[in-house]
Structure formats: C-alpha cells, structure tokens
Amino acid sequence: AQRVTQPEKLLSVFKGAPVELKCNYSYSGSPELFWYVQYSRQRLQLLLRHISRESIKGFTADLNKGETSFHLKKPFAQEEDSAMYYCALRLSGGSNYKLTFGKGTLLTVNP
Amino acid sequence: EPEVTQTPSHQVTQMGQEVILRCVPISNHLYFYWYRQILGQKVEFLVSFYNNEISEKSEIFDDQFSVERPDGSNFTLKIRSTKLEDSAMYFCASSESLGLIQYFGAGTRLSVL
C-alpha cells in the first residue's frame, strides 16, 4: 500500500530564510505527488503538483524517484507562508484516484 | 472562484444518533469524495462517488456510512449510528474529471458526545 511520510510535525524559520519541507513516499509504481496548503481557518488548497513543474508563491518541488522524495522548497520564506502543509500521493492510471496524505508539517515563519 | 461548500461547519451529536453531513460540489464537477481527519492524525480517504454510485471506498467506510446525491447539487455523507471515534473533521472534495485536481470544502467538524 502507498504511504506518505512527512518527518517534521513542526518547522519554524525566520523571515527571509530558506525553507524545506520534507516528504517521502513509498509506492512501487509511478505516483502523482501534490502539496496542499491549509492557511489558518481556511480550506485545503492545492499548492503544487509534480506534473505541472511550476513555481507557486515562490515554492518549488522536484520529484526524486531514486530517493522517493518530493520535498517542498522556498529560498526566502515570508510570514504569510505560515500554514499547515500536506504532501499527498495519488496513483496514476486505473480507476483509483484517492489521495493519500502525509500527517502534515506546520510551518511558522517568524518576523 | 467557485468553491465546494459544506454545511454545517460544526455538528454536535450524541453517540448512537444519525448525522448527515452536506456538501455542494463545484457545479460542473462529476467526481465527489469524502475524507476525514481525526484530531492530530492525517487526512484519510473515505469514499469516492461518480455517476450515482460509489467508485471506491476505504476500510473505514463500513456499513454505518453511506453517501448519496439526492438532487443535482448536494452530496451527502450519512453516519447511521455515530460512535465516539467518529469525531473528526470531514472534508468533501470534487473534481471535474477523474485524475484532475480535487478541490476541497472547508470541512465539517463532527463532535460525538
């Protein structure tokens, strides 16, 4: 069965510092990987998906199949980046399109 | 921007009671999902629904749970006889097509006393 691991429950950085939120997955096939973000009192919203290969709000994430990782990075964190970040996996192909989430990392960006 | 809406935002119920959680997916979306998140734990898939039938369900989604699309706009999750361990945040999501982005509602917090 597929699994997503986010090793850090909490991550605290100062404004302007680089930030990396780690995500590792276990799945033998070719998954789709996503980062969802939940700002305080708001809904889960998609931040990035690996197949888009785009940068959103300065965040990027690269799928590393060798290390089975999909870490989220931003070179200069901003206070408004403070939120809960969830890495999620979806199997590609077939009829199984459920998302499997990690436990999430709460990012706090201090002034 | 269209959004998935969920009502109520907070539901309190007594153990053994039936609850219905309501969702209005985005209007042109065809695939609907329920997830739940017990406090401090990960978001877990419950069920997906397409063309008026369940397309996939998890082992959590037992006989106590059911889903329905009673009209052209609502998508409901019913828990027949709630247990304490059903206390969680329940998220509805929808997608335009299979394999496309799932958009989430703000969630319903269910508290079973």
Side-chain angles (χ1 to χ4, degrees):
Chain A
Q2 61 271 25
R3 190 169 65 205
V4 176
T5 303
Q6 293 179 250
E8 303 136 331
K9 199 170 180 179
L10 303 168
L11 184 61
S12 183
V13 300
F14 286 102
K15 177 182 169 182
V19 63
E20 181 180 49
L21 293 93
K22 292 184 167 47
C23 172
N24 289 90
Y25 67 90
S26 62
Y27 176 58
S28 56
S30 293
E32 286 184 76
L33 274 296
F34 304 83
W35 278 98
Y36 276 82
V37 60
Q38 188 174 31
Y39 300 102
S40 179
R41 296 191 180 86
Q42 294 187 30
R43 65 191 64 218
L44 276 165
Q45 50 188 282
L46 181 69
L47 181 63
L48 283 177
R49 56 192 304 199
H50 88 271
I51 60 172
S52 300
R53 302 185 70 83
E54 49 187 356
S55 172
I56 305 291
K57 299 185 180 183
F59 285 96
T60 58
D62 290 315
L63 180 61
N64 185 323
K65 290 186 178 180
E67 295 182 0
T68 60
S69 68
F70 188 58
H71 302 328
L72 183 69
K73 300 177 185 179
K74 185 169 182 176
F76 307 103
Q78 302 300 313
E79 289 179 68
E80 55 265 29
D81 296 328
S82 296
M84 194 75 175
Y85 291 81
Y86 294 96
C87 183
L89 173 155
R90 183 170 70 189
L91 308 184
S92 56
S95 59
N96 182 344
Y97 282 93
K98 69 179 182 184
L99 290 168
T100 298
F101 285 88
K103 285 192 173 183
T105 298
L106 180 62
L107 174 65
T108 302
V109 181
N110 300 297
Chain B
E1 188 176 319
E3 290 183 337
V4 175
T5 56
Q6 290 186 244
T7 55
S9 56
H10 190 191
Q11 173 88 48
V12 182
T13 190
Q14 295 289 325
M15 191 168 59
Q17 294 296 304
E18 174 184 286
V19 293
I20 297 176
L21 309 183
R22 302 182 193 280
C23 169
V24 179
I26 294 172
S27 63
N28 64 332
H29 286 191
L30 301 176
Y31 293 82
F32 315 116
Y33 313 83
W34 283 102
Y35 293 81
R36 80 169 184 192
Q37 185 178 29
I38 295 171
L39 189 63
Q41 299 187 26
K42 59 179 67 179
V43 176
E44 302 172 290
F45 169 79
L46 292 178
V47 66
S48 59
F49 191 86
Y50 168 70
N51 200 25
N52 281 320
E53 59 183 33
I54 291 173
S55 44
E56 189 187 1
K57 59 183 181 179
S58 71
E59 58 193 24
I60 303 168
F61 194 88
D62 61 22
D63 292 345
Q64 292 299 310
F65 291 88
S66 62
V67 288
E68 195 178 30
R69 188 150 161 83
D71 53 43
S73 59
N74 289 285
F75 177 52
T76 62
L77 174 69
K78 183 194 290 188
I79 308 175
R80 265 180 263 287
S81 177
T82 49
K83 303 189 279 284
L84 294 176
E85 54 265 37
D86 293 327
S87 295
M89 194 75 163
Y90 288 80
F91 294 104
C92 174
S94 70
S95 62
E96 190 176 346
S97 180
L98 206 57
L100 293 186
I101 296 168
Q102 293 180 26
Y103 292 87
F104 282 77
T108 293
R109 178 165 298 286
L110 177 65
S111 300
V112 182
L113 307 178

